[in-house]
Amino acid sequence: MAAPSTTAPAPPGRRRSVTGTRRSVAVLFLLPALVLLGALVVYPIGYSLIRSFYNANGDGFAGFDNYKAIFTDDGIRTALKNNVIWVVFAPTVSTALGLIFAVLTERVRWGTAFKLVVFMPMAISMLAAGIIFRLVYDQDPDKGVANAVWVGIHDTFARSSAFPNAHPGRESPLKADQGGFITAATVHTGQTVTLPLVGVAPDQMPGGAKKAVAAKADPGKITGTAWQDFTRGKGVGTLGAPDPSELGYDGMRIEAVKNGKVVASTKAAADGTFTLPAAADGAQLRLPASNFKQPYNGVDWLGPSLVTPAIIGSYVWMWAGFAMVLIAAGLAGLPRELLEAARVDGATEWQVFRKVTIPLLAPVLAVVTVTLMINVLKVFDLVYIIAPGSSQDDANVLALELYRKGFSEGQPGIASAIAVFLLLLVIPVMWFNVRRLRREERR
């Protein structure tokens, strides 16, 4: 039989004293954090809420007028529409890319290196990323990487003209015709034809162009020369005839037209000379509009129609790595026996991915998507830096409009209303995220 315990229970007063001491110590340690939380979070929220009910000067009660402006002001309505586009597409695309990267790099040796490269943009600030993509989206193909690639692909399949600014000079036998030029008179076999043009800078002439020469007559054919009829210097050179310093229009297309139909065509040689067969007898010679097509300068990425998708692209570039790392962590914790069991039962890799992997990753995907939704509701830096002044109104978002109303247009009441409205948009998303996390903890 065990001996009775000789330890007496602590007096009730002493127990309460110890508990109270512990609570005091806890409050003491939490006090600095609570003070900072109150000063940096609670007070600004409370002040913004109060300020949103006053006019621009802050000396008159405005009621709900500032909140009405959110739905009536054109600039704010555009910002609200763009925020909807951001919330729908930016988190979805980032999460989808993160999922694809995480799954595809799971079984390759260089997967870790690839993940590191994809995650690296997270180390760059929004300011730096905005500056980078402002240059990437530059309209000039010589500066903007996006347009350099786009123009390169386009010119591979549709070569641009080397003579976009060429046009007839003085006393020219050519006249305008459907974007190109045509001879006023008809031509006949045995005749030599001169097709002088001006307007192409020497440094823009084709690289293979040679000194222009006068064509020699051929009794059974039509010959001629198409060249740059311009020599530097006043009174220098002969008008309407090739001079030693003048270059031929290498590759210029010439068509013989009868009754509106092309009966023969050719291209000028490097020295500008060309030859047409006897079928061109009695036709007019035409330089078609394709010779003078302006060079393709790519896509106006930062124009009114594409500026928002372009900025979303830069955001995805930054945050796809964040999504990939979180999803890869969730993927590493999946029970492999379930995946193997599905494969043994005859499921293809696509079926395993769609019916096993994605359902198991649903909690992680939801957390990533919701986190990015909260993030995009506050996006400001990228839009402010990337969008040029001419299209910033078209790329406007609520956070940028808050800044503009508060600091540029002198309407702090409306700016405070936008801030409160943004908070109201974020709270349900945060509540959903917290509720899901608690549900996962209970499991």
Side-chain angles (χ1 to χ4, degrees):
M1 183 175 181
S5 174
T6 59
T7 304
R14 180 178 178 81
R15 190 179 303 151
R16 286 195 297 269
S17 173
V18 172
T19 304
T21 302
R22 288 177 178 174
R23 288 178 179 173
S24 300
V25 172
V27 170
L28 186 63
F29 275 102
L30 289 174
L31 187 60
L34 293 174
V35 171
L36 287 175
L37 185 67
L40 300 179
V41 178
V42 178
Y43 173 74
I45 291 175
Y47 181 81
S48 297
L49 180 61
I50 296 171
R51 188 66 180 82
S52 66
F53 291 102
Y54 285 81
N55 59 16
N57 297 324
D59 55 4
F61 187 73
F64 288 94
D65 290 347
N66 293 327
Y67 289 95
K68 291 179 182 177
I70 295 177
F71 302 100
T72 56
D73 184 277
D74 290 338
I76 302 178
R77 289 170 65 182
T78 300
L80 186 58
K81 180 194 71 175
N82 286 336
N83 263 101
V84 172
I85 295 173
W86 272 88
V87 169
V88 171
F89 289 101
T92 304
V93 175
S94 299
T95 304
L97 283 177
L99 175 62
I100 293 170
F101 291 155
V103 171
L104 293 182
T105 58
E106 188 183 22
R107 297 184 179 181
V108 294
R109 293 182 179 178
W110 44 266
T112 303
F114 179 82
K115 291 176 183 177
L116 178 63
V117 171
V118 175
F119 188 74
M120 280 180 63
M122 285 294 300
I124 302 174
S125 68
M126 287 281 196
L127 173 65
I131 295 173
I132 291 170
F133 275 87
R134 180 65 183 268
L135 296 174
V136 167
Y137 291 133
D138 196 286
Q139 180 69 34
D140 187 353
D142 293 331
K143 298 178 182 178
V145 175
N147 265 342
V149 174
W150 195 263
V151 170
I153 295 173
H154 174 274
D155 289 351
T156 301
F157 300 98
R159 190 175 180 181
S160 299
S161 169
F163 321 106
N165 299 316
H167 59 275
R170 293 177 296 153
E171 302 177 15
S172 174
L174 296 167
K175 62 180 182 180
D177 177 71
Q178 300 177 4
F181 305 100
I182 194 169
T183 56
T186 56
V187 296
H188 300 279
T189 54
Q191 179 182 353
T192 58
V193 184
T194 56
L195 302 177
L197 295 168
V198 295
V200 181
D203 59 344
Q204 294 180 353
M205 290 290 288
K210 298 181 180 179
K211 293 182 179 180
V213 297
K216 297 180 179 178
D218 189 327
K221 298 179 180 179
I222 298 169
T223 57
T225 306
W227 82 101
Q228 173 85 348
D229 190 20
F230 176 79
T231 302
R232 293 182 181 274
K234 187 176 181 181
V236 179
T238 304
L239 189 65
D243 293 309
S245 62
E246 295 171 351
L247 298 176
Y249 279 140
D250 182 21
M252 175 73 74
R253 185 173 180 81
I254 300 102
E255 297 176 344
V257 181
K258 284 184 181 180
N259 300 322
K261 296 182 179 180
V262 177
V263 295
S265 64
T266 187
K267 286 186 177 181
D271 58 4
T273 58
F274 62 88
T275 303
L276 287 166
D281 184 61
Q284 293 175 280
L285 299 190
R286 181 174 67 187
L287 305 179
S290 58
N291 288 317
F292 313 103
K293 184 171 62 175
Q294 292 293 327
Y296 182 68
N297 288 320
V299 178
D300 188 8
W301 298 104
L302 299 182
S305 58
L306 290 178
V307 62
T308 295
I311 299 174
I312 291 177
S314 66
Y315 178 89
V316 170
W317 175 77
M318 289 192 67
W319 287 88
F322 167 81
M324 177 195 67
V325 169
L326 292 187
I327 295 171
L331 197 62
L334 293 184
R336 299 295 166 176
E337 58 271 14
L338 295 179
L339 303 179
E340 293 302 327
R343 294 189 181 98
V344 170
D345 289 341
T348 63
E349 289 299 323
W350 170 245
Q351 290 173 327
V352 172
F353 173 73
R354 185 167 57 91
K355 295 185 177 182
V356 180
T357 303
I358 291 183
L360 291 175
L361 283 176
V364 177
L365 296 176
V367 170
V368 172
T369 304
V370 172
T371 302
L372 293 178
M373 287 175 65
I374 296 172
N375 187 268
V376 299
L377 281 172
K378 304 178 294 180
V379 68
F380 165 79
D381 318 58
L382 290 176
V383 181
Y384 183 72
I385 296 167
I386 296 177
S390 59
S391 57
Q392 196 170 86
D393 288 342
D394 300 284
N396 200 9
V397 290
L398 286 174
L400 177 58
E401 186 65 15
L402 185 157
Y403 169 81
R404 293 168 69 175
K405 293 293 185 188
F407 297 97
S408 300
E409 301 178 17
Q411 300 183 49
I414 296 180
S416 299
I418 296 174
V420 174
F421 182 68
L422 267 176
L423 178 64
L424 294 176
L425 291 178
V426 171
I427 285 176
V429 182
M430 293 179 63
W431 175 80
F432 173 82
N433 209 16
V434 171
R435 186 179 179 185
R436 173 173 283 277
L437 289 174
R438 286 180 178 175
R439 191 184 304 126
E440 290 300 321
E441 288 177 0
R442 285 197 296 267
R443 289 180 183 177

